Amino acid sequence: MSAHCQLTGAQPGFGNNISHSHRRTSRRFDPNVQRKRYWLPSEGRYVRLRLSAKAIRTVDTIGVEAAVARIRARGVKV
């Protein structure tokens, strides 16, 4: 799943485009997911994470160590 945040679990939502004539066609609402590299001091290496913009702000608040612990608690390999 490409549009998926490792920290928050945000994934695409689905809905409809509604035209002027009110015809409905399917669409996706993708989260703002970006690849970001962080230095992980406890392991002495960089980790590359796929995070939403909201999750990037969360990492800035709680720190990369706590964020990686949360990601691993969700069962995602880092």
Side-chain angles (χ1 to χ4, degrees):
M1 190 183 300
S2 60
H4 182 81
C5 176
Q6 291 179 312
L7 181 60
T8 63
Q11 53 193 0
F14 294 89
N16 291 307
N17 283 321
I18 302 180
S19 70
H20 181 68
S21 65
H22 223 66
R23 285 185 59 119
R24 294 158 191 254
T25 55
S26 186
R27 64 158 295 176
R28 270 169 62 133
F29 294 92
D30 286 328
N32 184 8
V33 175
Q34 302 171 17
R35 280 177 75 92
K36 190 136 171 71
R37 193 175 82 144
Y38 288 99
W39 175 252
L40 195 58
S42 64
E43 297 180 17
R45 68 183 181 104
Y46 284 99
V47 291
R48 194 176 299 270
L49 304 174
R50 289 186 58 85
L51 301 172
S52 63
K54 180 180 179 180
I56 291 172
R57 291 194 300 272
T58 302
V59 171
D60 291 342
T61 303
I62 66 173
V64 68
E65 296 285 346
V68 168
R70 284 189 193 179
I71 291 170
R72 288 181 173 149
R74 293 183 73 238
V76 178
K77 184 180 175 213
V78 177

